[in-house]
Amino acid sequence: MLKKIYDSRTIGFAVLVPIYALALWVGLLAFRLFPDHELLVRFFTADAAATAVIFAFSLLLGNASVYDPYWSVAPILILPLTVPLLGGWNTGAVILLALVALWGLRLTWNWSQTFMAWTMQDWRYDMLRSKSGFAWPLVNFFGIHFFPTVMVYLALIPGFFFIRHFTRLTLLSFAGIGVCLAAVLLQATADRQMRQFRQNPLNKGQVNREGLWRHIRHPNYLGEILMWWGVFILMMSQASRLWLAVVGPLAMTCMFALISVPMMEKRQMQNKPDYADYQRRAGMLLPRFK
């Protein structure tokens, strides 16, 4: 009985909420430590401090998955807090915040649907832990916590520039908005189709070849990549001279294409005998229509 209560979703959320509240508070304190520094430096300091809090609790609880919601929650909190320092609320700030909130809230909700208990750790973290041995704390911090935080930080930089330099909406601005909305719709559709597929017990151990998954093996990862390219396009509509901020969406693309996808592909090949055939028929990150 005690184990059932201990491993419940309710207890899990009760554990995570105060941890994230503390991380937010520490992040705000860190942001105020260097008032004379460039905003991007202060933002990174706060982001890193909040990540350190999450990491400390992941060690305390023995579960690196404590970090999982940070990916989608942090941008929703960071943007409105920094808007007043970027020149105040304008049409561009409202639009960007709405897009990021739509993306983040949907992704967080999808995470909450698969979250079972705070004692359950992602299979990828289990694999890394078994391989890293005594170096696990370093792998945990730099690989699971700090590296994704840096990726989100880089991806948000074009958004900061978009707000700071916003004057009016252009055709390129509407193109960026369209890419962001398409990304959210793609992810929402892919996740819904996967949930429906898994709800059928007859599909256990099988490859999902329905809907979007018929043509592309990782539509949810593609949606994540598109979201940040959409933010970059928005920035280019207002400050094209800052094109070096392309490092954000480019880094995000490389992370998914070179790390996340290969890791998932290897696991699928081990667990699903017909996955090799699926690889030949469906594209990895770009749809293959046959």
Side-chain angles (χ1 to χ4, degrees):
M1 182 65 181
L2 286 176
K3 186 179 187 306
K4 186 176 181 180
I5 296 175
Y6 186 71
D7 290 342
S8 71
R9 283 166 52 86
T10 303
I11 295 298
F13 286 121
V15 169
L16 290 180
V17 169
I19 291 175
Y20 274 77
L22 177 62
L24 173 62
W25 180 71
V26 171
L28 289 174
L29 288 180
F31 187 81
R32 294 168 181 167
L33 281 178
F34 308 103
D36 298 328
H37 283 62
E38 169 63 31
L39 178 61
L40 292 181
V41 175
R42 298 175 66 193
F43 160 50
F44 183 75
T45 303
D47 210 7
T51 300
V53 172
I54 304 297
F55 169 70
F57 277 97
S58 80
L59 291 181
L60 182 64
L61 299 174
N63 189 345
S65 282
V66 171
Y67 179 83
D68 288 349
Y70 192 90
W71 178 274
S72 55
V73 170
I76 303 175
L77 298 175
I78 289 169
L79 277 178
L81 291 174
T82 54
V83 164
L85 301 174
L86 292 168
W89 291 92
N90 53 41
T91 303
V94 173
I95 290 174
L96 181 63
L97 181 59
L99 291 170
V100 171
L102 182 64
W103 161 83
L105 291 174
R106 191 219 63 82
L107 194 58
T108 304
W109 179 86
N110 186 69
W111 163 82
S112 71
Q113 298 305 296
T114 58
F115 175 77
M116 300 307 296
W118 69 269
T119 55
M120 297 181 65
Q121 183 169 261
D122 190 286
W123 63 268
R124 287 165 292 194
Y125 308 159
D126 290 334
M127 180 190 68
L128 290 172
R129 184 167 191 169
S130 64
K131 289 184 176 182
S132 57
F134 72 90
W136 166 241
L138 292 176
V139 173
N140 187 2
F141 178 71
F142 288 105
I144 296 175
H145 289 76
F146 192 65
F147 178 71
T149 291
V150 172
M151 291 297 102
V152 175
Y153 166 76
L154 293 175
L156 278 175
I157 288 177
F160 291 151
F161 290 151
F162 171 69
I163 295 173
R164 175 177 283 175
H165 298 282
F166 180 81
T167 54
R168 62 184 179 85
L169 293 174
T170 67
L171 287 177
L172 192 58
S173 302
F174 286 107
I177 293 171
V179 172
C180 290
L181 292 176
V184 174
L185 179 61
L186 178 65
Q187 287 184 303
T189 304
D191 290 336
R192 175 178 56 81
Q193 291 175 347
M194 182 56 78
R195 282 196 303 271
Q196 292 175 343
F197 179 80
R198 289 173 174 171
Q199 287 170 357
N200 186 346
L202 298 177
N203 292 329
K204 186 175 182 180
Q206 302 299 314
V207 175
N208 185 3
R209 300 176 187 249
E210 302 296 327
L212 294 171
W213 301 87
R214 176 182 177 87
H215 307 290
I216 180 172
R217 304 197 299 275
H218 304 281
N220 43 1
Y221 286 163
L222 175 61
E224 194 70 26
I225 292 170
L226 288 176
M227 175 65 195
W228 301 111
W229 279 107
V231 173
F232 175 74
I233 293 172
L234 280 171
M235 186 212 73
M236 290 295 287
S237 73
Q238 306 297 317
S240 58
R241 66 185 182 280
L242 300 175
W243 61 270
L244 284 176
V246 72
V247 67
L250 191 59
M252 193 71 76
T253 303
C254 291
M255 184 189 72
F256 282 107
L258 302 179
I259 300 177
S260 300
V261 169
M263 191 179 295
M264 182 65 74
E265 294 270 287
K266 183 178 180 180
R267 177 178 171 84
Q268 296 291 63
M269 287 291 288
Q270 293 172 343
N271 297 334
K272 298 179 179 180
D274 58 340
Y275 198 78
D277 176 70
Y278 180 55
Q279 285 179 318
R280 290 190 293 268
R281 297 176 182 274
M284 185 179 75
L285 285 171
L286 296 177
R288 185 182 300 161
F289 298 102
K290 286 189 178 179

